[in-house]
Amino acid sequence: VTDGVDSTVAYIKVRNVVVVALPDGSGTLISYLVNHSDTPDQLAAIAINLGNATIATRDGAALVLKKNQPIQFEGDAANAKAKVTNLGAVPGQRISVDFYFATAGKVRVNALVVANSGIYSSIL
């Protein structure tokens, strides 16, 4: 069971979207993206609660979604990180998280904000 929400845009599945509220007022995205098309697509941007998220990858490369090669934000297999400096929400609230893809377009989910404790205590 997860607190995350799911959505789909074109051939891209957006899974388990949750935002962790950090003590300094920032927020970190937890999510999993997978492309089921033979055609790659690029994750161009993410907005969390209408604020532009800073996106980073382990190798500094662009976030290109290739078929069945997921992008994972947080967790043991994470290959990307997305953070917003001013979350503007508290745990228990739901906020919009927008994913912008170069070809597939935009998808918005209504994600739960969770506290930086328990299973989310290691999220920075």
Side-chain angles (χ1 to χ4, degrees):
V1 178
T2 176
D3 293 325
V5 293
D6 300 338
S7 192
T8 302
V9 59
Y11 40 79
I12 296 174
K13 295 187 184 298
V14 177
R15 297 292 182 253
N16 193 34
V17 182
V18 175
V19 178
V20 179
L22 300 175
D24 66 358
S26 66
T28 299
L29 177 72
I30 297 175
S31 185
Y32 182 89
L33 311 175
V34 66
N35 180 354
H36 289 289
S37 170
D38 290 329
T39 305
D41 201 344
Q42 182 171 350
L43 176 62
I46 298 173
I48 300 173
N49 206 19
L50 304 178
N52 291 328
T54 301
I55 303 170
T57 60
R58 281 189 294 194
D59 59 7
L63 289 172
V64 176
L65 277 159
K66 297 178 183 171
K67 185 172 186 174
N68 298 324
Q69 294 180 18
I71 294 174
Q72 185 170 335
F73 295 93
E74 299 304 324
D76 294 338
N79 54 7
K81 186 166 195 76
K83 223 177 152 161
V84 65
T85 54
N86 184 14
L87 180 59
V90 296
Q93 290 182 314
R94 289 206 172 262
I95 59 171
S96 62
V97 178
D98 301 309
F99 295 87
Y100 297 89
F101 298 95
T103 304
K106 172 186 164 185
V107 63
R108 173 176 280 180
V109 297
N110 191 23
L112 180 65
V113 177
V114 296
N116 186 221
S117 62
I119 63 171
Y120 303 110
S121 63
S122 64
I123 304 296
L124 302 174

PDB file of all heavy atoms in Angstrom, residues 2 6 22 27 29-30 32 34 39 44 49 53 55-56 65 73 78 85 90-91 95 100-101 106 109 115 121:
ATOM      1  N   THR A   2       0.491   2.225  -0.765  1.00  0.00           N
ATOM      2  CA  THR A   2       1.274   3.447  -0.867  1.00  0.00           C
ATOM      3  C   THR A   2       0.361   4.670  -0.748  1.00  0.00           C
ATOM      4  O   THR A   2      -0.830   4.584  -1.036  1.00  0.00           O
ATOM      5  CB  THR A   2       2.050   3.496  -2.191  1.00  0.00           C
ATOM      6  OG1 THR A   2       2.731   4.746  -2.285  1.00  0.00           O
ATOM      7  CG2 THR A   2       1.137   3.346  -3.386  1.00  0.00           C
ATOM      8  N   ASP A   6      -1.152   7.894  -9.026  1.00  0.00           N
ATOM      9  CA  ASP A   6      -0.685   7.465 -10.340  1.00  0.00           C
ATOM     10  C   ASP A   6      -1.422   8.224 -11.428  1.00  0.00           C
ATOM     11  O   ASP A   6      -2.556   8.666 -11.242  1.00  0.00           O
ATOM     12  CB  ASP A   6      -0.960   5.968 -10.546  1.00  0.00           C
ATOM     13  CG  ASP A   6      -0.278   5.081  -9.530  1.00  0.00           C
ATOM     14  OD1 ASP A   6       0.716   5.509  -8.915  1.00  0.00           O
ATOM     15  OD2 ASP A   6      -0.732   3.939  -9.368  1.00  0.00           O
ATOM     16  N   LEU A  22      10.040  18.892   4.120  1.00  0.00           N
ATOM     17  CA  LEU A  22      11.254  18.895   4.935  1.00  0.00           C
ATOM     18  C   LEU A  22      11.205  20.033   5.956  1.00  0.00           C
ATOM     19  O   LEU A  22      10.499  21.025   5.761  1.00  0.00           O
ATOM     20  CB  LEU A  22      12.473  19.011   4.029  1.00  0.00           C
ATOM     21  CG  LEU A  22      12.613  17.861   3.012  1.00  0.00           C
ATOM     22  CD1 LEU A  22      13.777  18.105   2.081  1.00  0.00           C
ATOM     23  CD2 LEU A  22      12.779  16.535   3.728  1.00  0.00           C
ATOM     24  N   GLY A  27      10.573  20.829  -0.269  1.00  0.00           N
ATOM     25  CA  GLY A  27       9.881  19.570  -0.506  1.00  0.00           C
ATOM     26  C   GLY A  27      10.633  18.717  -1.507  1.00  0.00           C
ATOM     27  O   GLY A  27      11.240  19.244  -2.449  1.00  0.00           O
ATOM     28  N   LEU A  29      10.407  15.283  -4.080  1.00  0.00           N
ATOM     29  CA  LEU A  29       9.501  14.411  -4.816  1.00  0.00           C
ATOM     30  C   LEU A  29       9.901  12.950  -4.690  1.00  0.00           C
ATOM     31  O   LEU A  29      11.081  12.610  -4.772  1.00  0.00           O
ATOM     32  CB  LEU A  29       9.526  14.798  -6.302  1.00  0.00           C
ATOM     33  CG  LEU A  29       8.698  13.939  -7.248  1.00  0.00           C
ATOM     34  CD1 LEU A  29       7.211  14.202  -7.039  1.00  0.00           C
ATOM     35  CD2 LEU A  29       9.100  14.212  -8.688  1.00  0.00           C
ATOM     36  N   ILE A  30       8.910  12.111  -4.496  1.00  0.00           N
ATOM     37  CA  ILE A  30       9.075  10.666  -4.627  1.00  0.00           C
ATOM     38  C   ILE A  30       8.173  10.268  -5.787  1.00  0.00           C
ATOM     39  O   ILE A  30       6.989  10.608  -5.799  1.00  0.00           O
ATOM     40  CB  ILE A  30       8.655   9.914  -3.358  1.00  0.00           C
ATOM     41  CG1 ILE A  30       9.543  10.302  -2.186  1.00  0.00           C
ATOM     42  CG2 ILE A  30       8.679   8.408  -3.585  1.00  0.00           C
ATOM     43  CD1 ILE A  30       9.115   9.692  -0.869  1.00  0.00           C
ATOM     44  N   TYR A  32       8.025   7.578  -9.705  1.00  0.00           N
ATOM     45  CA  TYR A  32       8.587   6.587 -10.601  1.00  0.00           C
ATOM     46  C   TYR A  32       7.953   6.826 -11.965  1.00  0.00           C
ATOM     47  O   TYR A  32       6.735   6.887 -12.078  1.00  0.00           O
ATOM     48  CB  TYR A  32       8.221   5.212 -10.044  1.00  0.00           C
ATOM     49  CG  TYR A  32       8.728   4.028 -10.783  1.00  0.00           C
ATOM     50  CD1 TYR A  32       9.964   3.479 -10.488  1.00  0.00           C
ATOM     51  CD2 TYR A  32       7.949   3.404 -11.747  1.00  0.00           C
ATOM     52  CE1 TYR A  32      10.419   2.359 -11.139  1.00  0.00           C
ATOM     53  CE2 TYR A  32       8.402   2.283 -12.408  1.00  0.00           C
ATOM     54  CZ  TYR A  32       9.636   1.761 -12.107  1.00  0.00           C
ATOM     55  OH  TYR A  32      10.090   0.644 -12.754  1.00  0.00           O
ATOM     56  N   VAL A  34       7.886   5.652 -16.136  1.00  0.00           N
ATOM     57  CA  VAL A  34       8.305   4.624 -17.092  1.00  0.00           C
ATOM     58  C   VAL A  34       7.636   4.865 -18.445  1.00  0.00           C
ATOM     59  O   VAL A  34       6.467   5.224 -18.512  1.00  0.00           O
ATOM     60  CB  VAL A  34       8.037   3.195 -16.563  1.00  0.00           C
ATOM     61  CG1 VAL A  34       6.564   2.918 -16.419  1.00  0.00           C
ATOM     62  CG2 VAL A  34       8.704   2.152 -17.436  1.00  0.00           C
ATOM     63  N   THR A  39       9.671   4.933 -28.698  1.00  0.00           N
ATOM     64  CA  THR A  39      10.191   6.271 -28.926  1.00  0.00           C
ATOM     65  C   THR A  39      10.562   6.933 -27.601  1.00  0.00           C
ATOM     66  O   THR A  39       9.704   7.085 -26.728  1.00  0.00           O
ATOM     67  CB  THR A  39       9.130   7.142 -29.643  1.00  0.00           C
ATOM     68  OG1 THR A  39       8.730   6.479 -30.836  1.00  0.00           O
ATOM     69  CG2 THR A  39       9.680   8.516 -29.951  1.00  0.00           C
ATOM     70  N   ALA A  44      11.137  17.336 -19.320  1.00  0.00           N
ATOM     71  CA  ALA A  44      11.643  18.695 -19.484  1.00  0.00           C
ATOM     72  C   ALA A  44      11.621  19.498 -18.191  1.00  0.00           C
ATOM     73  O   ALA A  44      12.499  20.319 -17.938  1.00  0.00           O
ATOM     74  CB  ALA A  44      10.850  19.413 -20.567  1.00  0.00           C
ATOM     75  N   ASN A  49       3.579  22.145  -6.455  1.00  0.00           N
ATOM     76  CA  ASN A  49       2.766  23.204  -5.850  1.00  0.00           C
ATOM     77  C   ASN A  49       3.005  24.535  -6.570  1.00  0.00           C
ATOM     78  O   ASN A  49       3.164  25.577  -5.940  1.00  0.00           O
ATOM     79  CB  ASN A  49       3.033  23.314  -4.347  1.00  0.00           C
ATOM     80  CG  ASN A  49       1.837  23.887  -3.604  1.00  0.00           C
ATOM     81  OD1 ASN A  49       0.717  23.888  -4.102  1.00  0.00           O
ATOM     82  ND2 ASN A  49       2.085  24.365  -2.398  1.00  0.00           N
ATOM     83  N   ALA A  53      10.643  22.917  -9.807  1.00  0.00           N
ATOM     84  CA  ALA A  53      11.532  22.021  -9.062  1.00  0.00           C
ATOM     85  C   ALA A  53      12.916  22.015  -9.700  1.00  0.00           C
ATOM     86  O   ALA A  53      13.058  22.139 -10.916  1.00  0.00           O
ATOM     87  CB  ALA A  53      10.961  20.609  -9.053  1.00  0.00           C
ATOM     88  N   ILE A  55      15.858  19.770 -10.721  1.00  0.00           N
ATOM     89  CA  ILE A  55      15.996  18.351 -11.050  1.00  0.00           C
ATOM     90  C   ILE A  55      17.472  18.042 -11.229  1.00  0.00           C
ATOM     91  O   ILE A  55      18.188  18.769 -11.916  1.00  0.00           O
ATOM     92  CB  ILE A  55      15.231  18.006 -12.341  1.00  0.00           C
ATOM     93  CG1 ILE A  55      13.760  18.386 -12.217  1.00  0.00           C
ATOM     94  CG2 ILE A  55      15.375  16.526 -12.660  1.00  0.00           C
ATOM     95  CD1 ILE A  55      12.990  18.288 -13.523  1.00  0.00           C
ATOM     96  N   ALA A  56      17.918  16.952 -10.627  1.00  0.00           N
ATOM     97  CA  ALA A  56      19.302  16.519 -10.759  1.00  0.00           C
ATOM     98  C   ALA A  56      19.332  15.020 -11.020  1.00  0.00           C
ATOM     99  O   ALA A  56      18.442  14.284 -10.597  1.00  0.00           O
ATOM    100  CB  ALA A  56      20.072  16.836  -9.479  1.00  0.00           C
ATOM    101  N   LEU A  65      13.580   9.381 -21.085  1.00  0.00           N
ATOM    102  CA  LEU A  65      12.873   8.134 -20.787  1.00  0.00           C
ATOM    103  C   LEU A  65      12.933   7.231 -22.005  1.00  0.00           C
ATOM    104  O   LEU A  65      12.324   7.512 -23.028  1.00  0.00           O
ATOM    105  CB  LEU A  65      11.409   8.419 -20.456  1.00  0.00           C
ATOM    106  CG  LEU A  65      11.120   8.823 -19.036  1.00  0.00           C
ATOM    107  CD1 LEU A  65       9.801   9.564 -18.963  1.00  0.00           C
ATOM    108  CD2 LEU A  65      11.095   7.600 -18.167  1.00  0.00           C
ATOM    109  N   PHE A  73      12.680   8.772  -8.656  1.00  0.00           N
ATOM    110  CA  PHE A  73      13.019   9.830  -7.717  1.00  0.00           C
ATOM    111  C   PHE A  73      12.946   9.262  -6.316  1.00  0.00           C
ATOM    112  O   PHE A  73      11.868   8.913  -5.847  1.00  0.00           O
ATOM    113  CB  PHE A  73      12.035  11.007  -7.861  1.00  0.00           C
ATOM    114  CG  PHE A  73      12.118  11.695  -9.183  1.00  0.00           C
ATOM    115  CD1 PHE A  73      11.291  11.314 -10.226  1.00  0.00           C
ATOM    116  CD2 PHE A  73      13.038  12.709  -9.395  1.00  0.00           C
ATOM    117  CE1 PHE A  73      11.364  11.946 -11.457  1.00  0.00           C
ATOM    118  CE2 PHE A  73      13.123  13.347 -10.628  1.00  0.00           C
ATOM    119  CZ  PHE A  73      12.285  12.960 -11.654  1.00  0.00           C
ATOM    120  N   ALA A  78      17.169   4.914  -7.000  1.00  0.00           N
ATOM    121  CA  ALA A  78      16.983   6.277  -7.512  1.00  0.00           C
ATOM    122  C   ALA A  78      18.085   6.669  -8.483  1.00  0.00           C
ATOM    123  O   ALA A  78      19.260   6.399  -8.253  1.00  0.00           O
ATOM    124  CB  ALA A  78      16.934   7.267  -6.355  1.00  0.00           C
ATOM    125  N   THR A  85      12.320  24.524  -3.362  1.00  0.00           N
ATOM    126  CA  THR A  85      12.857  25.185  -2.172  1.00  0.00           C
ATOM    127  C   THR A  85      11.781  25.701  -1.234  1.00  0.00           C
ATOM    128  O   THR A  85      11.966  25.726  -0.030  1.00  0.00           O
ATOM    129  CB  THR A  85      13.792  26.352  -2.547  1.00  0.00           C
ATOM    130  OG1 THR A  85      13.098  27.234  -3.409  1.00  0.00           O
ATOM    131  CG2 THR A  85      15.040  25.843  -3.227  1.00  0.00           C
ATOM    132  N   VAL A  90       1.877  21.721   4.067  1.00  0.00           N
ATOM    133  CA  VAL A  90       2.225  20.934   5.251  1.00  0.00           C
ATOM    134  C   VAL A  90       1.729  19.500   5.066  1.00  0.00           C
ATOM    135  O   VAL A  90       0.829  19.246   4.260  1.00  0.00           O
ATOM    136  CB  VAL A  90       1.610  21.554   6.527  1.00  0.00           C
ATOM    137  CG1 VAL A  90       2.193  22.931   6.789  1.00  0.00           C
ATOM    138  CG2 VAL A  90       0.103  21.619   6.451  1.00  0.00           C
ATOM    139  N   PRO A  91       2.307  18.574   5.837  1.00  0.00           N
ATOM    140  CA  PRO A  91       1.864  17.185   5.740  1.00  0.00           C
ATOM    141  C   PRO A  91       0.354  17.051   5.927  1.00  0.00           C
ATOM    142  O   PRO A  91      -0.251  17.729   6.757  1.00  0.00           O
ATOM    143  CB  PRO A  91       2.632  16.494   6.874  1.00  0.00           C
ATOM    144  CG  PRO A  91       3.895  17.302   6.985  1.00  0.00           C
ATOM    145  CD  PRO A  91       3.440  18.719   6.757  1.00  0.00           C
ATOM    146  N   ILE A  95      -1.339  18.613  -3.010  1.00  0.00           N
ATOM    147  CA  ILE A  95      -0.847  19.686  -3.870  1.00  0.00           C
ATOM    148  C   ILE A  95      -0.696  19.175  -5.300  1.00  0.00           C
ATOM    149  O   ILE A  95      -0.602  17.978  -5.533  1.00  0.00           O
ATOM    150  CB  ILE A  95       0.501  20.242  -3.366  1.00  0.00           C
ATOM    151  CG1 ILE A  95       1.558  19.138  -3.319  1.00  0.00           C
ATOM    152  CG2 ILE A  95       0.339  20.908  -1.999  1.00  0.00           C
ATOM    153  CD1 ILE A  95       2.963  19.626  -3.043  1.00  0.00           C
ATOM    154  N   TYR A 100       6.288  17.721 -17.114  1.00  0.00           N
ATOM    155  CA  TYR A 100       6.286  18.216 -18.493  1.00  0.00           C
ATOM    156  C   TYR A 100       7.251  17.370 -19.318  1.00  0.00           C
ATOM    157  O   TYR A 100       8.445  17.322 -19.022  1.00  0.00           O
ATOM    158  CB  TYR A 100       6.734  19.679 -18.536  1.00  0.00           C
ATOM    159  CG  TYR A 100       5.817  20.611 -17.791  1.00  0.00           C
ATOM    160  CD1 TYR A 100       6.010  20.876 -16.436  1.00  0.00           C
ATOM    161  CD2 TYR A 100       4.758  21.239 -18.438  1.00  0.00           C
ATOM    162  CE1 TYR A 100       5.172  21.737 -15.747  1.00  0.00           C
ATOM    163  CE2 TYR A 100       3.922  22.108 -17.758  1.00  0.00           C
ATOM    164  CZ  TYR A 100       4.130  22.347 -16.419  1.00  0.00           C
ATOM    165  OH  TYR A 100       3.298  23.205 -15.728  1.00  0.00           O
ATOM    166  N   PHE A 101       6.708  16.727 -20.346  1.00  0.00           N
ATOM    167  CA  PHE A 101       7.501  15.887 -21.230  1.00  0.00           C
ATOM    168  C   PHE A 101       7.605  16.541 -22.602  1.00  0.00           C
ATOM    169  O   PHE A 101       6.649  17.167 -23.072  1.00  0.00           O
ATOM    170  CB  PHE A 101       6.865  14.500 -21.359  1.00  0.00           C
ATOM    171  CG  PHE A 101       6.787  13.771 -20.055  1.00  0.00           C
ATOM    172  CD1 PHE A 101       5.627  13.815 -19.289  1.00  0.00           C
ATOM    173  CD2 PHE A 101       7.871  13.065 -19.562  1.00  0.00           C
ATOM    174  CE1 PHE A 101       5.548  13.159 -18.073  1.00  0.00           C
ATOM    175  CE2 PHE A 101       7.805  12.414 -18.341  1.00  0.00           C
ATOM    176  CZ  PHE A 101       6.650  12.455 -17.597  1.00  0.00           C
ATOM    177  N   LYS A 106       2.010  17.417 -20.875  1.00  0.00           N
ATOM    178  CA  LYS A 106       1.946  17.655 -19.431  1.00  0.00           C
ATOM    179  C   LYS A 106       0.938  16.714 -18.782  1.00  0.00           C
ATOM    180  O   LYS A 106      -0.108  16.424 -19.350  1.00  0.00           O
ATOM    181  CB  LYS A 106       1.508  19.101 -19.186  1.00  0.00           C
ATOM    182  CG  LYS A 106       1.205  19.441 -17.744  1.00  0.00           C
ATOM    183  CD  LYS A 106       0.647  20.847 -17.656  1.00  0.00           C
ATOM    184  CE  LYS A 106      -0.032  21.086 -16.327  1.00  0.00           C
ATOM    185  NZ  LYS A 106      -0.674  22.384 -16.263  1.00  0.00           N
ATOM    186  N   VAL A 109      -0.868  15.655 -11.282  1.00  0.00           N
ATOM    187  CA  VAL A 109      -1.445  14.788 -10.266  1.00  0.00           C
ATOM    188  C   VAL A 109      -1.677  15.609  -9.003  1.00  0.00           C
ATOM    189  O   VAL A 109      -1.049  16.641  -8.799  1.00  0.00           O
ATOM    190  CB  VAL A 109      -0.552  13.559  -9.960  1.00  0.00           C
ATOM    191  CG1 VAL A 109      -0.395  12.676 -11.186  1.00  0.00           C
ATOM    192  CG2 VAL A 109       0.806  13.975  -9.430  1.00  0.00           C
ATOM    193  N   ALA A 115       5.063  13.840   6.029  1.00  0.00           N
ATOM    194  CA  ALA A 115       6.086  14.329   6.951  1.00  0.00           C
ATOM    195  C   ALA A 115       7.410  13.615   6.713  1.00  0.00           C
ATOM    196  O   ALA A 115       7.441  12.461   6.263  1.00  0.00           O
ATOM    197  CB  ALA A 115       5.636  14.139   8.387  1.00  0.00           C
ATOM    198  N   SER A 121      11.877   9.303   6.694  1.00  0.00           N
ATOM    199  CA  SER A 121      12.855  10.043   7.509  1.00  0.00           C
ATOM    200  C   SER A 121      14.221  10.189   6.834  1.00  0.00           C
ATOM    201  O   SER A 121      14.965  11.109   7.165  1.00  0.00           O
ATOM    202  CB  SER A 121      13.023   9.386   8.873  1.00  0.00           C
ATOM    203  OG  SER A 121      13.536   8.074   8.725  1.00  0.00           O
TER     204      SER A 121
END
